[in-house]
Amino acid sequence: MNHDTICALATANGIGAIGIIRISGDDAIPVSAKIFDGKNLEKAQSHTVHYGFIKDGDEVIDEVMISVFKAPKTFTAEDSVEISFHGSPHIAKKILEVLIKNGARMAKAGEFTMRAFMNGRIDLSQAESIADLIASENEASRKVALNQLKGGITNEISFLRTDLLNFVSLIELELDFAEEDVEFADRSALNQLLDKIEAKLNSLIESFQYGNAIKNGTAVAIIGKPNAGKSTLLNALLKEERAIVSNIAGTTRDTIEEILHIKGHAFRLIDTAGLRETADEIEAIGVKKAKEKVENANILVYLADAATENFSEDIEMIKSLQRDDLKLIICATKIDEVSPAQYELVENIFRKEIAQDFDFITISAVENQNMQDLKDELSSYVEQLKSEESNVVITNQRHFEALGKSMDAVNKVKEAITFQISTELLAYELRNALEHLGEISGEVTNDEL
């Protein structure tokens, strides 16, 4: 690939105490030396830091610290320089201009990471995990992305892939001796390996639901009749007045979404319009949107006013919203206004009428009663998604699809062995399986074969 010298701002845009510009390429050090008034960078040792000034001719732009990193022990595996300057967007712009004037060019989006991949410094899954690590917003997503950056998924499948590669090579060898009708690859041993690969792929594929919850957050729809306490609950969970609370039914017209972090996991709380038949056109749109949000939610928190005498509308509404893959939590609200006997009666009514398994919680958002019970139920949903068979969690849609293709290819190979399909077709199916496994880390197979 082209090893011309690239430069870019490595820190976020905006004002800060310090900003960092990164330069990489064959001429990264000479280009930097041209604009640096300080130690001769071309004679500097690798992984050293030097004080001086960035200059454009005789004009001093800023007082800086420059770090020198020599190939191959750098992020891109190329000579690299990092300039730490006072964090002004104007200074950053001036330094980048003078670098370009002296032979560098602006890097394209993701080009530093691309060079690290192309130069063999990281594999494809690690390159993707860098973006996930930068975008992580909670402890769980940070840990998963960091594990991927260390080569988590690649390590999980690399040994299996190596064993499969050996079998593919033997099958290819059989093709070279087709006229002699000999078998170099033990079919029973190949079957055992395929079973092992299938079990590992299953474990990784099943982890995607948990990984998706970690990466994108778990959608929690807060549903109920008007004045059931939905907005009050949202405010209590967030500990701020995010939604308007009023005794007037139908106050919430549109959906309100906020992020809540519980035990390192992100939950996307969706406060919706109260569900009821209404002639108000705007409120009716809000009710329709509320039902749409439930269709895309992972958890339904249904609020029922414990002081209500008739729950038939609530029961019908829950039945209309139920899905097999939707966790249902029914909360009896405003328990500070009723006796324990009343909300026990409420639970019995719902248990009798709702066939789907659900969790029943009594809460008072106003008095902050049993709010931790609700948080624990939300957290337990995510924890139950964890796979005990694998330490690696799949969070990337591309990885998930590649694993699915690999599973399909492995099943076709097993069918080919079972039905004693010709060696040529068996080799074809094996190559497909190997190719799809390699897609995850960006490995290619032709040269290896």
Side-chain angles (χ1 to χ4, degrees):
M1 65 177 294
N2 189 359
H3 289 277
D4 56 345
T5 301
I6 57 175
C7 62
L9 184 66
T11 47
N13 286 315
I15 297 172
I18 294 175
I20 297 175
I21 286 173
R22 179 181 288 171
I23 307 111
S24 180
D26 291 345
D27 294 325
I29 296 174
V31 167
S32 302
K34 290 179 184 177
I35 66 170
F36 182 61
D37 184 5
K39 182 168 181 174
N40 186 342
L41 298 181
E42 296 189 69
K43 294 182 179 179
Q45 295 293 314
S46 181
H47 294 74
T48 56
V49 184
H50 309 280
Y51 166 80
F53 296 88
I54 295 294
K55 298 179 72 174
D56 182 10
D58 294 330
E59 179 191 359
V60 175
I61 295 174
D62 193 21
E63 181 182 33
V64 301
M65 301 292 288
I66 283 192
S67 303
V68 176
F69 306 96
K70 294 186 177 180
K73 293 184 178 180
T74 69
F75 173 67
T76 58
E78 302 172 340
D79 285 350
S80 300
V81 172
E82 289 185 358
I83 303 174
S84 299
F85 60 92
H86 293 100
S88 156
H90 177 68
I91 293 174
K93 181 172 177 289
K94 291 280 287 183
I95 295 175
L96 288 170
E97 285 175 355
V98 75
L99 282 168
I100 292 168
K101 187 189 296 185
N102 283 276
R105 69 167 173 82
M106 285 296 295
K108 299 173 184 176
E111 190 168 0
F112 285 91
T113 304
M114 185 193 75
R115 288 193 175 198
F117 168 67
M118 296 298 290
N119 292 329
R121 175 71 173 74
I122 55 176
D123 65 33
L124 189 55
S125 65
Q126 288 174 304
E128 290 165 315
S129 71
I130 293 172
D132 290 341
L133 191 58
I134 292 169
S136 62
E137 295 181 346
N138 55 71
E139 183 63 9
S141 60
R142 180 194 68 82
K143 286 181 177 179
V144 168
L146 188 60
N147 186 39
Q148 297 284 52
L149 184 57
K150 292 177 180 177
I153 185 173
T154 304
N155 295 336
E156 284 284 292
I157 65 173
S158 61
F159 293 112
L160 299 175
R161 187 176 177 278
T162 299
D163 290 340
L164 184 60
L165 179 62
N166 291 334
F167 272 103
V168 176
S169 302
L170 291 172
I171 293 293
E172 294 285 343
L173 188 60
E174 287 182 15
L175 293 176
D176 290 339
F177 292 88
E179 295 180 1
E180 281 76 6
D181 193 26
V182 293
E183 279 193 3
F184 293 103
D186 184 340
R187 299 310 195 258
S188 62
L190 178 56
N191 252 326
Q192 290 176 6
L193 175 62
L194 293 171
D195 288 340
K196 194 175 177 182
I197 293 174
E198 187 176 30
K200 176 59 66 179
L201 291 177
N202 260 324
S203 175
L204 292 171
I205 288 170
E206 287 174 1
S207 75
F208 182 67
Q209 190 177 4
Y210 175 61
N212 201 40
I214 288 175
K215 184 175 181 178
N216 300 315
T218 302
V220 181
I222 303 174
I223 298 291
K225 290 164 61 177
N227 273 359
K230 299 180 295 300
S231 297
T232 304
L233 175 61
L234 180 70
N235 291 341
L237 289 170
L238 298 174
K239 296 182 179 179
E240 63 173 287
E241 296 298 314
R242 177 63 182 86
I244 298 172
V245 177
S246 168
N247 290 326
I248 302 172
T251 303
T252 302
R253 300 298 186 93
D254 202 353
T255 57
I256 300 173
E257 297 192 26
E258 287 292 336
I259 299 294
L260 174 67
H261 295 280
I262 305 173
K263 297 181 180 179
H265 297 115
F267 294 86
R268 292 185 285 114
L269 304 180
I270 308 164
D271 179 23
T272 62
L275 300 181
R276 65 172 179 177
E277 294 297 325
T278 176
D280 186 309
E281 185 177 351
I282 302 299
E283 187 180 355
I285 294 172
V287 171
K288 181 182 177 182
K289 290 183 72 174
K291 292 180 179 179
E292 290 174 354
K293 290 295 182 182
V294 176
E295 291 177 3
N296 297 314
N298 306 107
I299 302 174
L300 168 60
V301 176
Y302 190 92
L303 305 191
D305 188 342
T308 302
E309 294 182 0
N310 188 338
F311 294 97
S312 58
E313 284 187 51
D314 297 289
I315 290 166
E316 288 304 312
M317 190 59 66
I318 291 172
K319 287 181 177 179
S320 71
L321 298 173
Q322 284 179 297
R323 295 196 323 263
D324 290 339
D325 61 341
L326 181 67
K327 178 180 174 65
L328 174 60
I329 302 174
I330 298 178
C331 292
T333 62
K334 307 179 185 179
I335 60 169
D336 54 311
E337 300 176 10
V338 298
S339 66
Q342 171 65 15
Y343 50 75
E344 286 178 13
L345 177 63
V346 174
E347 180 176 4
N348 289 334
I349 292 172
F350 281 106
R351 293 286 180 200
K352 182 180 178 181
E353 297 293 335
I354 304 296
Q356 179 182 341
D357 185 36
F358 63 87
D359 296 298
F360 186 85
I361 302 174
T362 58
I363 63 170
S364 171
V366 173
E367 298 295 330
N368 202 33
Q369 292 181 22
N370 301 342
M371 298 297 290
Q372 188 58 47
D373 292 346
L374 177 56
K375 291 180 180 179
D376 289 343
E377 284 296 337
L378 296 176
S379 180
S380 68
Y381 167 82
V382 179
E383 291 298 325
Q384 288 169 5
L385 297 176
K386 278 185 179 179
S387 171
E388 296 180 359
E389 298 177 7
S390 176
N391 294 324
V392 174
V393 177
I394 302 301
T395 61
N396 187 295
Q397 181 70 33
R398 189 188 68 81
H399 296 172
F400 176 69
E401 291 173 0
L403 289 167
K405 291 176 184 176
S406 300
M407 179 67 82
D408 290 341
V410 167
N411 288 331
K412 286 180 179 178
V413 173
K414 293 177 78 171
E415 288 178 9
I417 295 173
T418 300
F419 295 107
Q420 297 182 335
I421 289 175
S422 67
T423 304
E424 289 87 349
L425 292 176
L426 177 59
Y428 171 77
E429 298 296 358
L430 278 168
R431 282 195 294 268
N432 275 343
L434 199 60
E435 180 180 342
H436 292 311
L437 285 172
E439 279 181 15
I440 296 169
S441 59
E443 295 174 88
V444 293
T445 58
N446 290 345
D447 291 341
E448 292 173 300
L449 285 175

